[in-house]
Amino acid sequence: MVVIKKSRYGDQELGLPRFARVSFSSLRSAQMDWQGQKRAEIVMQFMLVVFAIAGLGIGYTIGSFPTMMLTYAGGVVITALITVPNWPFFNRHPSKWLDPSEAERHPKPHLNVAAASKKKAPKHK
Amino acid sequence: MHSFGYRLNTVLTFALLLLAVLCGAASFLDAFNSPLSASSSYVQANAQVVKVNRFRRQLNGADEVSLTFNVSLDMKRLFTWNTKQVFVFLAAEYETPKNALNQISLWDHIILDKDQAMFQTKVTTKYPLIDQGSNLRGRKVDLILHWHVMPKTGRMIRDKLRLSDFHLPEAYT
């Protein structure tokens, strides 16, 4: 179950300059869109594996165990900074939910009781 | 991946999994450089007994010996990038009518660094050689050097090398 939390008041309350409000507005939303989620997962796995291999390679050739650990730890932090917050480039394909007033004009079809198939009502605020 | 907390959890869990793989790989690669079976060929050592300091019989009937000996060690080749420390100890082995094998640790030392791995010292027994009974007069005793290579990650390697032997005096000193 997925819940969209959207602020009612816009971004003025953040006190950011206008360009930041526009481009980083996605940071305040808890929800990443579907394509963004897929992208975030792929980027995360790829970056972590790359940093692990790089750490092992550098540590082994230099012959220093702490170097390997520090390289890897730095890689984990960079990966977390890139994939965890809800950056704008993860929100390029927002889901198009129906406008509430539009949804009211197309009421839920009346189902035959004998058919007994359950349908979830579309969520809207 | 639908919320901040979920993504953070995924990153940290996957990072931890890869950390385990990394440690396993480090331990595995290490095994190429110092093969487990030939560990004793990487060590050169010598130990000679210089003097028997004390050889007496305790009140409870057990023999007790205190020795001074010269130890020289070269364990540089045991150290790899994955070695944390090497624990070395010298054990005395002998046979008595009561026990087929007695092993007693006489002296031990921790080597933390490759630079500290080659040295010679003259040292007295840290732990006296105490027998279960009084069978030590005139006994032939072997000196065996044992070492434990403790890695930063992975399996500990244990090995030993027989160094020399000596005879205890026939009478108490």
Side-chain angles (χ1 to χ4, degrees):
Chain A
M1 290 251 286
V2 151
V3 178
I4 299 179
K5 267 158 62 172
K6 275 223 167 100
S7 161
R8 286 173 213 275
Y9 308 114
D11 300 306
Q12 273 90 353
E13 63 186 63
L14 260 189
L16 292 172
R18 195 147 70 92
F19 77 89
R21 267 183 259 142
V22 166
S23 42
F24 296 115
S25 58
S26 63
L27 278 175
R28 298 184 66 249
S29 158
Q31 185 66 38
M32 215 187 242
D33 69 57
W34 304 115
Q35 295 298 325
Q37 289 180 28
K38 183 172 156 193
R39 236 185 236 179
E41 180 163 0
I42 292 173
V43 165
M44 179 199 83
Q45 289 171 345
F46 181 76
M47 284 183 74
L48 281 179
V49 170
V50 160
F51 275 110
I53 294 176
L56 184 65
I58 291 177
Y60 187 67
T61 44
I62 291 185
S64 162
F65 198 89
T67 306
M68 174 175 87
M69 284 301 165
L70 285 174
T71 313
Y72 181 60
V76 170
V77 168
I78 292 174
T79 305
L81 282 176
I82 290 182
T83 58
V84 173
N86 195 11
W87 298 117
F89 59 80
F90 289 130
N91 279 287
R92 295 275 183 248
H93 308 272
S95 315
K96 295 186 184 57
W97 297 106
L98 268 186
D99 206 33
S101 49
E102 179 73 27
E104 278 162 17
R105 279 187 232 131
H106 306 271
K108 207 169 65 171
H110 181 66
L111 287 170
N112 217 343
V113 177
S117 62
K118 277 197 164 179
K119 248 196 189 168
K120 256 195 237 174
K123 264 200 182 306
H124 58 270
K125 275 211 166 123
Chain B
M1 310 292 275
H2 51 79
S3 68
F4 186 92
Y6 191 111
R7 287 191 292 275
L8 189 64
N9 182 26
T10 308
V11 166
L12 290 176
T13 309
F14 195 55
L16 205 63
L17 180 73
L18 283 183
L19 182 68
V21 169
L22 213 55
C23 290
S27 169
F28 179 71
L29 285 176
D30 199 36
F32 282 139
N33 293 334
S34 50
L36 307 178
S37 55
S39 167
S40 47
S41 65
Y42 281 50
V43 169
Q44 282 155 6
N46 209 341
Q48 297 290 341
V49 174
V50 168
K51 183 172 115 157
V52 175
N53 297 341
R54 190 194 335 180
F55 186 9
R56 68 184 182 117
R57 185 183 172 133
Q58 290 175 339
L59 293 171
N60 56 11
D63 281 350
E64 180 187 327
V65 184
S66 171
L67 308 163
T68 308
F69 45 86
N70 276 332
V71 176
S72 72
L73 282 184
D74 181 9
M75 288 188 159
K76 280 179 179 276
R77 289 174 71 191
L78 282 179
F79 277 81
T80 67
W81 71 307
N82 191 25
T83 306
K84 183 166 180 285
Q85 65 189 18
V86 173
F87 177 69
V88 177
F89 65 97
L90 193 67
E93 274 186 22
Y94 60 92
E95 188 185 323
T96 60
K98 187 175 164 207
N99 300 324
L101 178 66
N102 300 280
Q103 289 170 312
I104 293 135
S105 171
L106 298 177
W107 168 83
D108 53 41
H109 184 62
I110 294 178
I111 306 174
L112 292 167
D113 214 312
K114 192 168 178 173
D115 307 320
Q116 301 170 11
M118 181 152 96
F119 59 86
Q120 296 151 340
T121 48
K122 184 168 167 182
V123 70
T124 52
T125 49
K126 241 183 190 179
Y127 318 107
L129 212 179
I130 298 180
D131 188 30
Q132 289 177 335
S134 86
N135 305 305
L136 285 184
R137 274 163 293 173
R139 186 67 60 188
K140 171 173 172 283
V141 174
D142 288 334
L143 284 178
I144 313 233
L145 187 75
H146 295 246
W147 60 90
H148 296 186
V149 180
M150 297 170 185
K152 289 183 175 127
T153 61
R155 206 191 112 174
M156 185 171 85
I157 298 173
R158 300 160 48 158
D159 208 345
K160 59 186 182 184
L161 185 66
R162 190 183 166 283
L163 292 184
S164 62
D165 57 58
F166 66 99
H167 286 264
L168 287 165
E170 297 284 347
Y172 293 124
T173 55

